[in-house]
Amino acid sequence: MRKILLETGFSNSEIFCGTGAFEARAKGYACGQVCVITDTNVNALYGELINKTFPECFLTVIPAGEESKNPKTLLKILNDMLKRGMHRNCTVIAFGGGVVGDIAGLAASLYMRGVSLVQIPTTLLSQVDSSVGGKTAVDLNGVKNVIGTFYQPKEVIVDPLFLKTLPPREINCGLGEIVKYGALDGAIYKKLNENINNLRDYGFLEEITYDCILYKADIVKRDERDDKGLRKALNLGHTTGHAFELNYGGRSHGEFVLIGMYYELYIAVKRGICGGQYAEALKNLIYEVLGAMPCYPNISDAAKAAVHDKKNDDADIALILPVSEGEWTELKLGLKEYTRYLKECASEFRGLL
Amino acid sequence: MRKILLETGFSNSEIFCGTGAFEARAKGYACGQVCVITDTNVNALYGELINKTFPECFLTVIPAGEESKNPKTLLKILNDMLKRGMHRNCTVIAFGGGVVGDIAGLAASLYMRGVSLVQIPTTLLSQVDSSVGGKTAVDLNGVKNVIGTFYQPKEVIVDPLFLKTLPPREINCGLGEIVKYGALDGAIYKKLNENINNLRDYGFLEEITYDCILYKADIVKRDERDDKGLRKALNLGHTTGHAFELNYGGRSHGEFVLIGMYYELYIAVKRGICGGQYAEALKNLIYEVLGAMPCYPNISDAAKAAVHDKKNDDADIALILPVSEGEWTELKLGLKEYTRYLKECASEFRGLL
């Protein structure tokens, strides 16, 4: 077990990573007023562990799936906490994947203007990404993360124990974000390439998870509120990925990040931003995770969705593009040009099939 | 017009106080994407001024009254902002009293994880109290301020212009909190006593409002999140005041603060915490604002409500009590003892009628 300290100006997060982290850290919350929030899937697998570890907790189980990430579920959680007489000094434990972490984090940040929050991410995606950094949210009318806060968890417990029960698709989803980190950080890129035939090995995942969190924690430390131009690096692949996810659906978030990365790499190469060889190496990693690239119809409709991306300040479409190992840059494109590139990429890519 | 800079660790608030503040500062928000939130009462009086000052704003009018301070109204505001395509770099202007400020502040803190917020308080209460310090909230199931955030407004515009249209009861409500500041700060206490026959004069109100905000800003600066034991000073009178407000209703918040102060002064004197002469002087100020003290039945029921006060960490009832000019202390009491004191005070006080 290793510890990462994420110090922001206002509050600190302690992140405990590795085998044994749950065993070592969770018992610290056995006593005291604790509200554990989880979902139906996780509860089916780990309900007994939750009861054993937090015998006196107030357990709230939300339906599994992104559909739960809405204001109604959020209000139900807050209402239940109030009914159970939770105090200002209680602790909310988010025990689950990204949806649980986002909504439980938001609930913790809002209940009596903020109570202690502990994140125990149980998916690879939430371990390498959403559980660290303090972004909380629910969706509104189908638009992602419209309502949210920046709220650092007091502690994050990242234990590979939970990866063992994940379906392969969930591992792939997490690998999507891990490959994204590879496109940002040279050391992660190197490690991914060295282990390209080994990406799903639990020992390797434990190690690379730590590396990704360390990278993210460093960025969050310097740009907690995503307003200093650093944190947006983490959106690599996301502008196009989100747009496609919104339009086509049917795949995990991490997979859409990889699909987005693929299209954006095409733009990066066309614009002379990224060298062809490096782009090919990144595409190799993408293929290794995805197996094959999906073909989508009506690319222009999907492109439009990128404009509404809340990460953009105006109608320009902002793309975070890989430059070379450990280097990235931002490119802003108008919708017309962006659509043209996406279509070109899709047709070249279809030609390969 | 005078300026107070409220610097907290994370963000700064600029507070502009005095005649001419609105004229001088509001026009800075005439352009850009602006969402003005107000209520039906304020809109009836100042709708034209709003349209003239912010000609391109998106105006949201909520029903006047504490009943609007609920999650449903909050979600409606956030939904409307989304439908209108408000960006991450938009500004929310809270134009109204405490309810408008609390709910608009919460909406601004949540929309896309936080957009710029400007408070333009139009009641005396919100000018001296709620518009400064960054506390935002809505009520939940009749319990006050259960859902909220700490979120500093970028700017607060405090202009006595708006006091002219306030009914006398609203002036009294603000005076309630002003007298509370008098029980905390020696200079404000002195000024109140010197002007005891003059409390409702607009010139005096403009001056004392500045003093109160200066006092509050200094406390908030040192204890933004209300967790360092300083900000709780501002709860003087509030534990009992809230409990009575919840049980009896029918009066303004500020008046209940004064009623709470009266009962808590009784306890302070009985426990030897506060000298009799100083307590009498504070009671004089209370009487000057309230005219007469109301007699309430079933004091024990009201006392129970103090236990649920969210500002208390456990079943103990926490009271902020005046000690001497500019000095206060905290006293924790069990429910039984607290109830006994309240009953004693009520009976002595009834004997006086």
Side-chain angles (χ1 to χ4, degrees), chain A residues 69-298:
Chain A
K69 218 176 117 176
N70 62 49
K72 204 177 149 191
T73 313
L74 172 71
L75 280 176
K76 197 191 166 313
I77 292 170
L78 292 165
N79 242 315
D80 287 350
M81 288 175 70
L82 182 64
K83 273 189 217 149
R84 288 289 291 242
M86 305 299 283
H87 294 153
R88 198 183 173 183
N89 57 357
C90 72
T91 298
V92 168
I93 297 183
F95 193 108
V99 170
V100 164
D102 280 4
I103 198 168
L106 183 53
S109 74
L110 289 175
Y111 190 70
M112 296 188 176
R113 297 199 185 94
V115 298
S116 282
L117 170 66
V118 175
Q119 292 276 2
I120 306 182
T122 58
T123 63
L124 184 57
L125 179 72
S126 57
Q127 291 193 349
V128 294
D129 190 29
S130 60
S131 68
V132 170
K135 282 193 178 179
T136 81
V138 293
D139 305 335
L140 186 61
N141 282 339
V143 186
K144 284 187 100 166
N145 302 333
V146 174
I147 301 177
T149 52
F150 289 96
Y151 196 71
Q152 296 300 336
K154 178 183 157 196
E155 179 164 350
V156 188
I157 300 170
V158 180
D159 196 317
L161 158 74
F162 303 109
L163 302 185
K164 306 267 159 79
T165 49
L166 286 182
R169 192 174 170 164
E170 276 295 326
I171 296 285
N172 255 22
C173 178
L175 279 170
E177 290 284 351
I178 290 171
V179 168
K180 177 201 77 177
Y181 283 109
L184 295 168
D185 182 70
I188 295 173
Y189 172 76
K190 193 160 169 272
K191 217 176 254 185
L192 281 169
N193 276 312
E194 283 166 5
N195 292 273
I196 192 157
N197 299 316
N198 210 23
L199 295 181
R200 289 165 183 84
D201 175 86
Y202 290 120
F204 171 70
L205 288 175
E206 178 171 347
E207 199 181 317
I208 203 83
T209 295
Y210 175 82
D211 296 337
C212 292
I213 293 175
L214 199 62
Y215 180 83
K216 179 165 183 178
D218 178 60
I219 284 201
V220 172
K221 200 181 294 183
R222 291 180 289 149
D223 185 12
E224 186 189 12
R225 302 274 157 145
D226 206 355
D227 55 5
K228 295 196 178 64
L230 285 170
R231 191 160 178 167
K232 65 183 175 189
L234 304 171
N235 290 335
L236 192 145
H238 282 65
T239 300
T240 308
H242 267 160
F244 279 32
E245 192 173 359
L246 224 63
N247 246 264
Y248 305 117
R251 279 173 172 267
S252 73
H253 172 74
E255 287 174 320
F256 273 114
V257 169
L258 290 183
I259 295 166
M261 244 180 93
Y262 188 96
Y263 279 81
E264 294 176 8
L265 271 169
Y266 176 86
I267 299 174
V269 172
K270 276 280 157 181
R271 299 287 285 229
I273 288 167
C274 177
Q277 210 177 340
Y278 179 54
E280 283 309 307
L282 287 173
K283 280 188 194 170
N284 265 349
L285 286 167
I286 295 174
Y287 272 115
E288 183 52 40
V289 177
L290 283 186
M293 276 288 286
C295 282
Y296 289 119
N298 307 322

Side-chain angles (χ1 to χ4, degrees), chain B residues 143-193:
Chain B
V143 186
K144 284 187 100 168
N145 301 334
V146 173
I147 300 178
T149 52
F150 289 96
Y151 197 70
Q152 295 300 336
K154 177 182 158 197
E155 179 164 349
V156 188
I157 300 170
V158 179
D159 196 316
L161 158 74
F162 303 108
L163 303 184
K164 306 267 159 79
T165 48
L166 287 181
R169 191 175 172 164
E170 275 295 325
I171 297 285
N172 255 24
C173 178
L175 279 170
E177 290 283 352
I178 291 171
V179 169
K180 176 201 78 176
Y181 285 108
L184 294 168
D185 181 69
I188 294 173
Y189 172 76
K190 195 160 166 271
K191 217 175 254 185
L192 281 168
N193 276 311

Side-chain angles (χ1 to χ4, degrees), chain B residues 5-294:
Chain B
L5 184 61
L6 168 46
E7 293 175 292
T8 62
F10 184 73
S11 56
N12 296 338
S13 263
E14 290 188 319
I15 306 160
F16 295 91
C17 298
T19 301
F22 182 80
E23 174 76 21
R25 299 297 311 173
K27 59 182 176 224
Y29 303 94
C31 301
Q33 216 185 22
V34 168
C35 172
V36 175
I37 299 172
T38 190
D39 71 17
T40 44
N41 284 351
V42 177
N43 193 46
L45 290 163
Y46 295 107
E48 236 173 89
L49 180 67
I50 292 173
N51 281 326
K52 213 185 82 189
T53 314
F54 314 106
E56 286 164 33
C57 79
F58 163 45
L59 180 65
T60 295
V61 183
I62 65 174
E66 178 81 21
E67 305 74 43
S68 282
K69 219 176 114 175
N70 61 50
K72 204 177 149 191
T73 313
L74 172 70
L75 279 176
K76 196 190 166 316
I77 292 171
L78 291 166
N79 243 314
D80 287 350
M81 288 175 68
L82 182 64
K83 273 189 219 152
R84 288 289 293 241
M86 305 299 284
H87 295 154
R88 198 184 175 184
N89 57 358
C90 73
T91 299
V92 167
I93 297 182
F95 193 107
V99 170
V100 165
D102 280 6
I103 197 167
L106 183 52
S109 74
L110 289 175
Y111 190 71
M112 296 186 177
R113 297 200 185 96
V115 298
S116 282
L117 170 67
V118 175
Q119 293 276 2
I120 306 183
T122 59
T123 63
L124 185 57
L125 179 71
S126 57
Q127 291 193 349
V128 295
D129 191 31
S130 59
S131 68
V132 170
K135 282 192 178 179
T136 82
V138 293
D139 305 334
L140 185 62
N141 282 339
V143 186
K144 284 187 100 168
N145 301 334
V146 173
I147 300 178
T149 52
F150 289 96
Y151 197 70
Q152 295 300 336
K154 177 182 158 197
E155 179 164 349
V156 188
I157 300 170
V158 179
D159 196 316
L161 158 74
F162 303 108
L163 303 184
K164 306 267 159 79
T165 48
L166 287 181
R169 191 175 172 164
E170 275 295 325
I171 297 285
N172 255 24
C173 178
L175 279 170
E177 290 283 352
I178 291 171
V179 169
K180 176 201 78 176
Y181 285 108
L184 294 168
D185 181 69
I188 294 173
Y189 172 76
K190 195 160 166 271
K191 217 175 254 185
L192 281 168
N193 276 311
E194 282 165 7
N195 292 274
I196 192 156
N197 300 314
N198 211 23
L199 295 181
R200 289 164 184 85
D201 175 86
Y202 290 120
F204 171 71
L205 288 175
E206 178 172 347
E207 199 181 318
I208 203 83
T209 295
Y210 175 83
D211 296 336
C212 292
I213 293 175
L214 200 62
Y215 180 84
K216 180 166 182 178
D218 178 60
I219 284 199
V220 171
K221 200 181 294 184
R222 291 181 289 149
D223 184 14
E224 187 188 11
R225 303 274 156 145
D226 206 355
D227 56 5
K228 295 195 176 65
L230 284 169
R231 191 160 179 166
K232 65 183 175 188
L234 303 171
N235 290 334
L236 191 143
H238 281 66
T239 300
T240 308
H242 266 161
F244 279 33
E245 192 173 358
L246 223 64
N247 246 264
Y248 305 118
R251 281 174 170 264
S252 72
H253 172 74
E255 288 174 321
F256 273 115
V257 169
L258 290 183
I259 295 166
M261 244 180 93
Y262 187 96
Y263 278 82
E264 294 177 7
L265 271 168
Y266 177 87
I267 300 174
V269 172
K270 275 280 158 181
R271 299 287 286 231
I273 289 168
C274 177
Q277 212 176 337
Y278 179 54
E280 283 310 309
L282 287 173
K283 279 188 194 171
N284 266 349
L285 286 168
I286 295 174
Y287 272 115
E288 184 51 40
V289 178
L290 284 185
M293 277 288 286

